[in-house]
Every structure is written in C-alpha cells, then in structure tokens.
Amino acid sequence: MSRHRIGHLYKRGKDGKQYPADDDRRGTYYLQYRLNGKTIRQSLHTTRKDEAETKRLEIMAPHLVADEEQVLATTVQRLQTASRKRADLED
C-alpha cells in the first residue's frame, strides 16, 4: 500500500546549511518531496513555521487526494477479494 505524501519541512540558514524545521536557528523554510521518482526542493519564502505548514499543505494537497483515491481503490479491491473467499468457503 502507498504511504501518504506530506513532504518534509526544513530550514536553510543564511550560511546555506540545512537545519531541521524545529531547530531554534533562524532560516527560511523549504519543502522537500518526491514526485515521479524525482526529489523536489522549493523555498516556501517564509521564516514562520505556521506559514510554512500552511504552504506545505497547499502544495501537497493534490498529491494527498491522489494517494487517498489509490488507498480507497485498494481497500475496495481487498474487500471484494475477502468477500469472494468467504463465499467460496460457505459453498
């Protein structure tokens, strides 16, 4: 089953180094995620974590919907398979 893509937030300081999103150092937030096998990194143009989280969700929303559709389709398929197996056992 696929896992939901939510992206990874991190900060980049003026020194050019990357830091975890919850690090106390000042820096601009960036979002990193994978799409079609490629790693995408983009600046969120903010130094505020709450704004970065909002922008992350806006950017990742289309990918979350696609994953949710895939999860639901897989779930339906598994339920149908289980129902067929149960019917075969009852016969």
Side-chain angles (χ1 to χ4, degrees):
M1 185 180 312
S2 68
R3 61 174 213 240
H4 295 289
R5 290 180 224 137
I6 59 171
H8 167 73
L9 284 179
Y10 65 94
K11 285 190 225 179
R12 186 173 289 166
K14 288 188 179 198
D15 58 5
K17 294 182 182 177
Q18 291 183 15
Y19 301 102
D22 57 358
D23 192 278
D24 290 335
R25 287 174 266 225
R26 291 189 46 84
T28 301
Y29 281 91
Y30 281 73
L31 176 64
Q32 177 178 317
Y33 58 98
R34 292 185 61 81
L35 185 61
N36 298 326
K38 294 185 179 185
T39 300
I40 312 282
R41 292 179 189 94
Q42 68 184 88
S43 173
L44 298 178
H45 304 288
T46 184
T47 57
R48 293 183 44 193
K49 188 170 184 179
D50 59 333
E51 287 179 10
E53 288 287 353
T54 300
K55 289 181 178 187
R56 177 185 63 86
L57 290 174
E58 289 172 3
I59 292 167
M60 298 307 297
H63 307 294
L64 294 172
V65 170
D67 277 354
E68 186 66 21
E69 289 174 4
Q70 186 178 8
V71 167
L72 291 173
T74 301
T75 302
V76 166
Q77 199 171 42
R78 287 181 178 177
L79 286 171
Q80 290 171 342
T81 300
S83 292
R84 281 194 300 272
K85 285 181 180 179
R86 188 180 89 195
D88 289 346
L89 290 172
E90 290 175 350
D91 287 343

